[in-house]
Amino acid sequence: MKDGGHITLTLPPGAATTADERGRKSLRRAWNQLPRCQRNLIILGITGFCVTVLLCLSGDQLLAASLKDVDTKAEVVAYQMPLPNPHHHPGVDKDVAKDTAAAPVPADKRAPRAEALSDKFNELVAYGEANSAENVARLPETVAAEGLHQAVAMAVALPPPDSNKEQDIGGIDILNNVEEPVAQEQAEPLSEGEQLEQAIKNPLTLGGVSFKEHLKKIKPLLAKGQHFHGATNERQSAVVAAFKHSWAGYKKYAWGHDNLKPISQYSHEWFGLGLTIVDSLDTMYIMGLDDEFKEGRDWVEQSLRFDTKRDVNLFEVTIRVLGGLLSAYHLSGDTMFLAKAAELGNRLLPAFQSPSNIPYSDVNLGDLSAHSPKWSPDSSTSEVTTIQLEFRDLSRSTNISIYEQVAHKVNEKVHDLEKNHGLVPIFINANTGTFRNYATISLGARGDSYYEYLLKQWIQTGRRDNDNLILDYMQAVDGVLTQLMRRTPREHWVYIGELINGKDFKPKMDHLTCYLPGTLILGHQNGMPDSHLILARDLLDTCYQTYVMNPTHLAAEISYFALTEKDDQDIYVKPNDAHNLLRPEFVESLYYFYSLTGNRTYQDMGWKIFQAFETHAKVNAGYTSMGNVKNTQSTRLRDLMESFWMSETLKYFYLLFSDDRKEIDLEQWVFNSEGHPLPVYPLKT
């Protein structure tokens, strides 16, 4: 060290260039001879030099490297749909399910982008394949209702796998010392109101994308076709013949229209939606009528349109058309029906844009508007509470939550309203959300299916303990027992009367009320008390009596009952109420009794009624309603074949006469109010 304090380091000659071991040892020996403070100063100088070089370099290469790392990570987060529940997909291989959920899908194996999707619907599930005997119905599992829109939002918001633009992915801000990559922000889930507006403004989309694109995304959840073996005995064959006779007349004289007028051999229009075709689809599928089913299917695909500017009734179109399309989809596995159902569901949504969450009764499918009925400011209670099975199933089938959400709000609203021992008035106002004061209480017209759907919704959603649906149902049946049930004075026939003005008892029972025995025994099968079963049996006997007491062995639309022994008859029919519309309610109850007990006595009761229809309602071009069931010589044929004759009455006759009473397993399926079977879903946790 010199006096000036500068350091002088002298290395042996050749030490800097020689590579032999002796040179390296000499250099190491010279370094070690330096004092420790000098060695530290040298290291500090070298470090400072390196830092200076790094700071002078451009950060572009480092940023590019970071973006490359982010792009690699982004490939891992591709949206994956929930796997189907193996319990409701009996044909799904468990190992396949495990593999599906195990690892991220490689970029070269992913689904094509939207613009590359096929234009053919039937590539999802081929029509011929859907009808094969090997296919078994798979009931779709859905995610929780409140999370459905989030799943869809995720699927739509994620970038395609080949997207690597910086503005889409984000990057590392080195200058601002951001240590973690900025991941792409997911689009926030739409609110319920935004979902509702989106569906209404774009009725040909699901979750903001085309039907085809959305159905591709939910392909693992789509239903597969059921197989039915067709008629197996003479009684079933007779019902099939009756159906084919009805179908032939409709096809010849009213094809594409709502109903057939079989005497005048002309059509009858109501909503312009081909009601008879759509209502009959699942009946034909269950009966194994492949040719007729294909005729109906092709008409739906090619000719059924929902954009006509015409008012329709929310309730009737929901149970007949929406329910018919959904049932045809679940039984056949044909996604064309699901796409049609989704469009119709979107076009019905304006009904739910009321101030009270109680839907308006009338909807214009073309204008996408809704209003109360023209004849009254009030809707029928049964109508606004008999749409939930269908809208919920549409949500579960499409994995889009808005349909179930708006329909369930009706449940919540009606649950909170004050009732008479669980019984509800038959009118409710969509603007105020309140029942009409002093309205009649009835289990017949305008009230009936409110009680039916309380039980069936509870079954559809997995039978949750202490659910408001089943609590309201049990309270209502208690109200029926204490407020509406009476016995005739002589024969002790049990019947269900009405409360006029909500308080005055009237011994009148609509034929519509004969659905109740079937509903009660279905409830008893699902844990309801024995008092429900006793009432079901007694009421079934009374309903049967309303048939056999008449010379035609057909029931009148309305029956009256004696209050005292001064009345001449225990059961009687007034002249203006003696008509028969080919209604299904009693045959429906017979089917439930047979299916749940196996007692073939109910088949014999049904056969007697079927023969009466054959005798008095059959005409050259189909079957017709009649004006008078009290006189075999003057039945006064009314020239109308309602669509529910083929949707419900003949379907329930066919299932009632089946050798297999579980041809439709009531543990797996629930019938809507128009006789369309829909799947039962597992309980959500």
Side-chain angles (χ1 to χ4, degrees):
M1 180 178 293
K2 295 183 180 180
D3 294 339
H6 295 285
I7 300 173
T8 302
L9 177 62
T10 305
L11 298 179
T17 58
T18 183
D20 60 16
E21 186 176 351
R22 181 178 57 188
R24 288 194 298 271
K25 289 182 179 180
S26 175
L27 180 61
R28 187 182 303 113
R29 186 181 306 112
W31 173 260
N32 290 336
Q33 289 176 350
L34 292 174
R36 179 174 298 178
C37 62
Q38 292 181 0
R39 292 200 301 266
N40 289 343
L41 288 174
I42 294 173
I43 293 173
L44 182 61
I46 294 173
T47 301
F49 173 79
C50 292
V51 170
T52 301
V53 171
L54 287 174
L55 291 176
C56 292
L57 287 177
S58 170
D60 292 343
Q61 292 180 335
L62 291 176
L63 179 61
S66 300
L67 290 177
K68 182 178 180 181
D69 181 63
V70 173
D71 186 50
T72 304
K73 293 179 181 179
E75 292 182 357
V76 184
V77 297
Y79 175 69
Q80 306 225 356
M81 290 298 300
L83 288 175
N85 187 329
H87 176 71
H88 285 279
H89 294 258
V92 176
D93 190 321
K94 295 181 179 178
D95 294 331
V96 173
K98 291 179 181 178
D99 294 339
T100 306
V105 181
D108 59 343
K109 300 292 184 181
R110 293 179 185 163
R113 296 181 63 176
E115 58 267 23
L117 295 177
S118 169
D119 288 330
K120 296 182 180 180
F121 253 125
N122 289 333
E123 288 184 2
L124 298 177
V125 178
Y127 174 76
E129 179 183 340
N131 281 312
S132 67
E134 291 75 18
N135 283 322
V136 180
R138 293 168 169 83
L139 309 186
E141 176 192 14
T142 63
V143 296
E146 60 270 15
L148 291 175
H149 63 281
Q150 296 179 358
V152 175
M154 287 179 63
V156 175
L158 285 175
D162 59 350
S163 176
N164 58 4
K165 297 179 181 179
E166 291 183 12
Q167 61 267 31
D168 291 334
I169 299 175
I172 302 175
D173 186 353
I174 297 178
L175 296 178
N176 291 313
N177 197 28
V178 178
E179 298 180 356
E180 295 294 332
V182 178
Q184 179 194 358
E185 293 184 3
Q186 300 294 340
E188 291 186 4
L190 298 177
S191 68
E192 181 179 317
E194 290 171 334
Q195 289 184 72
L196 186 61
E197 288 292 340
Q198 180 187 70
I200 293 172
K201 290 180 179 179
N202 304 285
L204 296 178
T205 66
L206 278 171
V209 300
S210 70
F211 291 148
K212 290 177 287 186
E213 185 176 353
H214 183 78
L215 294 179
K216 285 284 188 180
K217 292 177 182 178
I218 64 170
K219 190 172 183 179
L221 302 179
L222 296 176
K224 305 299 180 183
Q226 273 269 8
H227 173 67
F228 293 91
H229 46 63
T232 59
N233 58 57
E234 291 184 5
R235 289 181 174 180
Q236 273 196 319
S237 296
V239 177
V240 172
F243 184 93
K244 294 180 75 172
H245 178 67
S246 303
W247 182 258
Y250 170 79
K251 182 180 176 183
K252 184 174 183 179
Y253 299 111
W255 184 251
H257 297 281
D258 287 334
N259 298 308
L260 168 68
K261 302 179 73 172
I263 297 176
S264 58
Q265 298 178 351
Y266 199 68
S267 63
H268 172 265
E269 208 70 288
W270 191 6
F271 303 132
L273 296 175
L275 292 182
T276 294
I277 297 175
V278 183
D279 239 356
S280 301
L281 288 166
D282 54 3
T283 303
M284 294 185 286
Y285 195 88
I286 291 169
M287 290 181 175
L289 299 176
D290 294 341
D291 292 341
E292 290 83 353
F293 178 80
K294 187 177 187 304
E295 290 172 349
R297 183 227 180 257
D298 291 346
W299 182 87
V300 169
E301 182 179 40
Q302 298 166 13
S303 302
L304 179 59
R305 298 180 61 88
F306 300 125
D307 56 359
T308 302
K309 294 182 178 181
R310 185 173 185 171
D311 281 358
V312 302
N313 179 269
L314 171 67
F315 160 73
E316 295 289 358
V317 169
T318 295
I319 65 171
R320 298 182 192 227
V321 184
L322 183 58
L325 291 170
L326 289 170
S327 181
Y329 157 68
H330 287 295
L331 295 180
S332 70
D334 191 335
T335 55
M336 182 275 295
F337 294 120
L338 181 57
K340 288 286 187 179
E343 180 190 351
L344 177 58
N346 288 341
R347 292 184 180 275
L348 290 173
L349 286 177
F352 297 92
Q353 293 182 309
S354 73
S356 67
N357 294 325
I358 296 296
Y360 294 116
S361 65
D362 293 358
V363 186
N364 191 303
L365 299 180
D367 283 344
L368 300 173
S369 60
H371 57 84
S372 298
K374 295 178 180 179
W375 51 269
S376 169
D378 299 328
S379 301
S380 298
T381 301
S382 64
E383 293 189 358
V384 302
T385 56
T386 310
I387 54 179
Q388 285 73 18
L389 287 179
E390 298 81 4
F391 275 83
R392 179 178 293 106
D393 186 77
L394 182 58
S395 273
R396 305 293 177 96
S397 298
T398 61
N399 218 17
I400 299 294
S401 65
I402 187 60
Y403 315 107
E404 180 170 5
Q405 289 174 351
V406 295
H408 184 63
K409 280 189 173 182
V410 183
N411 288 340
E412 296 174 329
K413 182 67 177 180
V414 175
H415 169 74
D416 291 336
L417 295 177
E418 185 177 355
K419 304 175 184 65
N420 183 347
H421 297 83
L423 306 174
V424 297
I426 62 174
F427 291 109
I428 189 170
N429 190 290
N431 291 311
T432 64
T434 58
F435 293 125
R436 181 191 293 182
N437 292 331
Y438 308 111
T440 295
I441 291 176
S442 172
L443 268 71
R446 306 189 186 281
D448 50 358
S449 46
Y450 161 71
Y451 306 97
E452 174 192 1
Y453 267 40
L454 287 176
L455 175 70
K456 289 184 174 180
Q457 286 187 79
W458 178 69
I459 293 173
Q460 181 193 37
T461 53
R463 307 170 178 88
R464 184 186 302 277
D465 292 340
N466 297 318
D467 191 300
N468 285 336
L469 292 167
I470 198 60
L471 296 177
D472 287 351
Y473 173 77
M474 295 179 69
Q475 185 183 21
V477 176
D478 287 344
V480 170
L481 290 167
T482 60
Q483 305 298 309
L484 301 181
M485 191 197 81
R486 298 287 192 278
R487 292 180 181 271
T488 60
R490 285 179 290 269
E491 300 295 333
H492 306 294
W493 298 113
V494 169
Y495 65 97
I496 307 300
E498 299 179 350
L499 294 179
I500 306 302
N501 298 323
K503 57 182 180 178
D504 299 326
F505 184 81
K506 185 176 183 178
K508 165 184 173 288
M509 187 172 82
D510 295 349
H511 181 273
L512 288 168
T513 308
C514 287
Y515 82 92
L516 187 58
T519 298
L520 288 169
I521 193 172
L522 179 63
H524 183 266
Q525 180 73 14
N526 285 275
M528 297 299 101
D530 290 345
S531 59
H532 292 204
L533 179 60
I534 295 171
L535 177 59
R537 289 172 175 168
D538 289 344
L539 192 57
L540 189 80
D541 289 342
T542 302
C543 288
Y544 184 59
Q545 188 63 24
T546 64
Y547 279 81
V548 298
M549 64 174 275
N550 294 314
T552 58
H553 288 170
L554 292 173
E557 181 73 0
I558 300 173
S559 297
Y560 287 83
F561 299 82
L563 285 174
T564 69
E565 293 185 0
K566 294 180 180 180
D567 295 309
D568 293 336
Q569 297 174 295
D570 273 16
I571 307 175
Y572 60 97
V573 176
K574 296 181 180 181
N576 290 338
D577 301 323
H579 50 285
N580 182 291
L581 303 181
L582 311 176
R583 287 199 185 277
E585 286 77 20
F586 179 59
V587 184
E588 173 187 355
S589 285
L590 286 176
Y591 160 68
Y592 278 109
F593 268 77
Y594 167 64
S595 179
L596 296 175
T597 68
N599 188 336
R600 295 187 179 274
T601 299
Y602 304 115
Q603 291 181 317
D604 296 335
M605 295 165 68
W607 181 245
K608 189 169 188 175
I609 296 171
F610 177 76
Q611 289 179 309
F613 279 122
E614 286 286 292
T615 300
H616 300 291
K618 188 175 182 179
V619 294
N620 289 337
Y623 291 77
T624 183
S625 55
M626 62 197 72
N628 182 18
V629 299
K630 299 171 67 175
N631 189 332
T632 59
Q633 302 304 314
S634 178
T635 54
R636 300 203 304 268
L637 301 182
R638 299 181 68 169
D639 195 18
L640 185 64
M641 187 176 78
E642 294 270 8
S643 68
F644 55 65
W645 164 251
M646 301 170 73
S647 169
E648 297 184 78
T649 310
L650 291 178
K651 181 189 285 121
Y652 285 128
F653 270 131
Y654 180 84
L655 294 173
L656 171 63
F657 299 144
S658 178
D659 295 321
D660 178 11
R661 63 188 177 100
K662 294 186 180 296
E663 188 159 354
I664 298 289
D665 188 350
L666 295 177
E667 292 291 323
Q668 301 277 343
W669 301 88
V670 59
F671 286 90
N672 86 334
S673 194
E674 189 74 6
H676 298 304
L678 300 173
V680 172
Y681 291 93
L683 181 66
K684 291 183 178 181
T685 56

